[in-house]
Amino acid sequence: MAAMAGLYRRLLSSPPAVDFASTQGKQLFLEAIQNGTMEGFYRLVSYFQTQSEPAYCGLASLSMVLNALAIDPGRKWKGPWRWFDESMLDCCEPLEKVKARGISFGKLVCLAHCAGAKVEAFHASHSSIDDFRKYVMNCSTSDECHVISSYHRAALKQTGTGHFSPIGGYHIGKDMALILDVARFKYPPHWVPLTLLWEGMNYVDEATGQSRGYMLISRPHREPGMLYTLSCKHESWNSIAKFLMDDVPLLLKSEDVKDIHDVLSVVVSSLPSNFEEFIKWIAEVRRREDGGASLSAEEKARLSVKEEVLKHVQETGLFKHVASFLSNSCSKHSPTSGFGDTLPDIAASVCCQGAEILGGKHSSSAVYCCRETCFGSKAEDDNPITMVCGTVVNGNTEQRVDVLIPSSPRKSRCNCSSASKSIRMHPASTDVLTVLLLSLPSTTWDGIKDEQLLREIDVLVSIENLPALLQEEVLHLRRQLHLLKRCQEGKVDEDLGAPLY
């Protein structure tokens, strides 16, 4: 019989570490509880997970913290469940690259932002041990924020190099932090002197030339991305982020634009061919048999907020210009961003995606097709609700899928004969393009030579006077776009404190 090589765990170096499950570790735990510095522990341990790949320590730490904070990812994991998993954190850095060589501190910060968390991050070289201790103390006395540390294992006399793990608590008297090590196949949770952990965070990451550090993660006061989100699941996001952030300002500077129509024409006619993969509107999907006759209170609440955000979009001055442009230019422009999609097209696409997700086959090669779709309105507590229903077929099986729509269908504004009988579904092309233009940096328009037109544009794209819900939606997209651009340029690790918009 051939020998099988492998490693079964590592012996925890003690000192300096203290095994959480040891007699001494239990005593430290009890004393910390009595001192009130283990409040963040309970939620973290409820969602404790082991990294699924040797290089996934950053992804496992972040998904554990996001779940502990009860942040809704806004997308399905498996079956009908929305849940953060390492496989969901595919923004800012492709998973295959993370699997091969891990993830940098800055890109994990980017991921936390993109996932909808509130994040404060510090390189150890730009912070101090006193500040670090203060933040660990604050998060240990509350379950509303958590600390993820990026450190070099050598400082703790452990094997390996750079590592990420959440901090589960703090012992005031011994000045020790509890590391909930996500590499549980290697080391158990353990207490370490905070001074040594700080030393480990001061190691320089050779891949970035920056010191390691720590990040504080908490819930935003409202879930971001109620209607829209930017996606970098496809490689095309690099070129699209560059187009929006770099090329559009240059095009506006070089073109002799005279009015709003010219400005919109410059942007729309130059959109990359795969633009529809970059900005998505967020649909609520459920199986017919799971949904029952009525909407749940949670579904009603989400639809209500989506409806309100959409209403605010359509009340902006920019929306009116975009609607007029798309209506008058339908036969002249053929943007591939889904602007021409009709209800049957969108419904079939979304229902198929929903069936894949509900079937837990989102990443498989299974092929779904939507045999039929229909839509209609129903009254829920005197409020009209629109649903798109689809029969989705995969081989010999089929399932009924409902897609909950945040607004009623309406007739297309396009006068093209080929689309005269089509019906648009909200959020439609006009809404999406309006929000995208609002989300561009304010400096985008600075190159416009006509001063009167520049003033007019500044008024239309200003977010200062937008309703709070729409303003937060726009700022979330703007932060996403800025972070994606910084990732594309390889600059996320340089200045963690740089403005996000």
Side-chain angles (χ1 to χ4, degrees), residues 230-296:
L230 300 183
S231 170
C232 56
K233 286 180 67 65
H234 302 270
E235 293 182 1
S236 59
W237 73 264
N238 284 283
S239 60
I240 297 170
K242 181 181 182 301
F243 168 77
L244 293 172
M245 300 288 278
D246 291 344
D247 298 348
V248 169
L250 290 176
L251 286 170
L252 292 172
K253 189 174 182 178
S254 63
E255 298 282 344
D256 187 22
V257 290
K258 298 296 186 184
D259 54 27
I260 303 298
H261 186 282
D262 287 348
V263 172
L264 295 175
S265 179
V266 166
V267 177
V268 174
S269 61
S270 304
L271 283 172
S273 60
N274 41 15
F275 180 70
E276 74 278 3
E277 299 295 343
F278 187 62
I279 184 167
K280 303 285 190 180
W281 61 271
I282 302 168
E284 293 288 331
V285 184
R286 65 178 184 176
R287 279 197 186 97
R288 173 69 61 84
E289 60 269 24
D290 291 344
S294 300
L295 302 182
S296 69

Side-chain angles (χ1 to χ4, degrees), residues 257-258 447-455:
V257 290
K258 298 296 186 184
I448 295 176
K449 302 180 183 71
D450 188 313
E451 292 186 3
Q452 182 176 345
L453 176 59
L454 181 57
R455 288 194 295 270

Side-chain angles (χ1 to χ4, degrees), residues 421-481:
K421 295 182 181 180
S422 70
I423 297 177
R424 300 249 179 188
M425 188 199 323
H426 285 314
S429 55
T430 319
D431 315 307
V432 173
L433 185 55
T434 299
V435 171
L436 181 70
L437 292 174
L438 289 171
S439 303
L440 295 180
S442 56
T443 54
T444 299
W445 322 99
D446 290 351
I448 295 176
K449 302 180 183 71
D450 188 313
E451 292 186 3
Q452 182 176 345
L453 176 59
L454 181 57
R455 288 194 295 270
E456 186 178 357
I457 282 287
D458 285 341
V459 171
L460 289 175
V461 300
S462 172
I463 65 172
E464 292 180 1
N465 296 321
L466 293 179
L469 281 175
L470 178 56
Q471 188 175 104
E472 290 174 8
E473 187 85 5
V474 168
L475 289 176
H476 175 65
L477 288 174
R478 189 175 291 186
R479 284 190 291 269
Q480 280 188 308
L481 183 59

Side-chain angles (χ1 to χ4, degrees), residues 184-203:
R184 288 193 285 181
F185 50 83
K186 185 176 183 180
Y187 293 116
H190 49 275
W191 294 93
V192 296
L194 187 131
T195 52
L196 286 184
L197 181 57
W198 176 252
E199 180 184 319
M201 292 192 294
N202 274 279
Y203 276 65

Side-chain angles (χ1 to χ4, degrees), residues 9 16 25 48 65 84-85 94 117-118 162 166 181 213 233 310 322-323 415:
R9 310 186 70 175
F48 203 165
V65 168
F84 276 109
D85 178 71
K118 180 181 178 182
D181 199 325
K233 286 180 67 65
L310 194 56
V322 172
N415 295 321

